[in-house]
Amino acid sequence: MQGLKIAALYSFPPGRFGLCGMGEEASHEILDFLKGKKVPNIREILETFEGSLFYYKLIAKENNISNYFNEKVVKAYWIGNELLERVRISKLKEVVAQNLKKPKLAEKLPENSKPHHSFHVLVAGPMKKDLIMTEGMKDLCKISWGKILKIEDCKLKIANLIVEYQPLLKEREWFLGKPIKRKIFWFKSILPKLKVGDFVSFHWDLALERLSKSELENLKKYTQISIEVANFLKK
C-alpha cells in the first residue's frame, strides 16, 4: 500500500470528527481517495494534519529518505518499524520543542522515546491547544489492535466487527488492560475481505488494516514503549 494511502487511512477517522487536518469537509475527499477515486490535492490535504506531518518529516530525514510520505516512513509512525530506531533522541526533542504543544517537555524526554503515534497521544498531546483529551479519548486515539471474534451485518456496506482488544487504562500509571470485547465499524470499501480470526488495527473505532504478525508485534512494542515513557514523565 502506498504511503499516501496509509496516511489517508489513519488520518481519516479523527479528520471526520474535525480533530485534525482540514476537518469534516476534507474527510469526504480522503474517503474518495481511499475508495480509489482520483483526488489530485490529496497530498496537500494530508499535509494539513500537522501532528503526523512533523513526525513523517523527522523519520524520513533521520533515515535519509527524501519523500516523507514514503510507505515505510508513514508505517513507522502509525504502526512502528525499524526506521524509528534510527531517529536520534536529540532530533525528536527538537521537534517537540519547536512544533508541539508542550515545548518544555523536550528537556525531560527519556532516551527510549520514539516518534510513534502512541507517543503523540500519551506524551506530546493534541495539536489543538483547546482540546483536552480524556482517558477514554486517548484510548480511542491510540492505534489499537484487535482479533476479530464475530462479523455482524456482513451484507451491509458498513458492518460491525466484534473484536478482542486491550483497552488503555490509567490508575496511578497508564497500562493496557485485560482483553475485552469491543464493537467497531468496518467500511468494506476501505478494507475488503476480512474474516474471523484476523487481527486488525483500528483508530477511533474504525477498522483500518489487516495486520501481519510482524506489524502486530511492532504496534504492541512501540505502544508499550510510549506507555513507559508517559509513566516515567509522571514520576
Side-chain angles (χ1 to χ4, degrees):
M1 190 184 295
Q2 59 173 312
L4 281 173
K5 189 169 183 180
I6 298 170
L9 191 64
Y10 285 91
S11 300
F12 172 67
R16 69 192 180 116
F17 296 129
L19 297 173
C20 307
M22 293 173 67
E24 188 177 351
E25 183 178 341
S27 71
H28 295 296
E29 293 183 87
I30 294 175
L31 184 57
D32 285 342
F33 177 70
L34 291 172
K35 289 178 178 179
K37 297 180 182 178
K38 289 187 177 180
V39 180
N41 63 329
I42 188 64
R43 188 182 180 98
E44 289 74 20
I45 291 172
L46 293 173
E47 285 179 341
T48 68
F49 289 78
E50 290 184 324
S52 53
L53 186 64
F54 290 132
Y55 295 105
Y56 297 159
K57 288 182 175 180
L58 170 64
I59 295 165
K61 188 173 181 179
E62 287 291 274
N63 285 274
N64 297 312
I65 297 172
S66 58
N67 176 19
Y68 46 82
F69 279 112
N70 172 279
E71 181 176 344
K72 286 196 73 173
V73 169
V74 176
K75 202 83 166 186
Y77 174 65
W78 292 108
I79 300 296
N81 59 36
E82 70 278 7
L83 298 191
L84 297 184
E85 301 299 329
R86 299 171 194 151
V87 178
R88 289 167 288 178
I89 185 63
S90 60
K91 297 301 179 182
L92 176 57
K93 287 181 177 181
E94 285 180 13
V95 168
V96 171
Q98 295 171 13
N99 303 299
L100 302 183
K101 185 175 164 182
K102 305 174 184 176
K104 292 184 179 179
L105 181 69
E107 304 166 10
K108 305 175 184 177
L109 292 180
E111 290 292 321
N112 62 329
S113 304
K114 304 295 180 187
H116 187 254
H117 180 66
S118 57
F119 170 88
H120 189 67
V121 173
L122 284 165
V123 181
M127 297 300 293
K128 291 188 175 182
K129 293 184 178 180
D130 59 343
L131 178 60
I132 298 174
M133 297 283 283
T134 64
E135 292 175 21
M137 288 175 71
K138 288 185 179 183
D139 183 44
L140 286 167
C141 191
K142 86 177 196 303
I143 307 304
S144 295
W145 56 91
K147 183 179 181 179
I148 300 176
L149 302 178
K150 185 180 179 182
I151 300 175
E152 297 181 340
D153 306 317
C154 59
K155 292 183 179 180
L156 301 178
K157 290 182 179 179
I158 303 176
N160 293 317
L161 303 176
I162 306 300
V163 299
E164 183 180 70
Y165 95 116
Q166 290 180 269
L168 178 68
L169 301 172
K170 187 179 182 183
E171 290 177 358
R172 284 183 298 176
E173 294 188 334
W174 291 104
F175 66 99
L176 292 175
K178 293 181 180 179
I180 61 172
K181 293 180 182 179
R182 188 178 187 96
K183 181 182 287 188
I184 63 174
F185 300 105
W186 174 28
F187 285 20
K188 292 184 179 180
S189 58
I190 294 177
L191 178 59
K193 298 180 182 178
L194 289 180
K195 65 183 185 298
V196 170
D198 285 343
F199 280 90
V200 293
S201 61
F202 59 98
H203 195 197
W204 291 95
D205 278 345
L206 180 64
L208 297 177
E209 285 190 287
R210 183 187 298 106
L211 296 171
S212 67
K213 185 177 179 180
S214 61
E215 288 171 337
L216 178 61
E217 291 307 310
N218 279 332
L219 183 52
K220 290 180 178 180
K221 172 185 174 180
Y222 290 104
T223 300
Q224 186 58 43
I225 287 173
S226 296
I227 289 173
E228 291 170 4
V229 170
N231 289 336
F232 171 82
L233 291 170
K234 291 295 182 182
K235 294 179 181 178

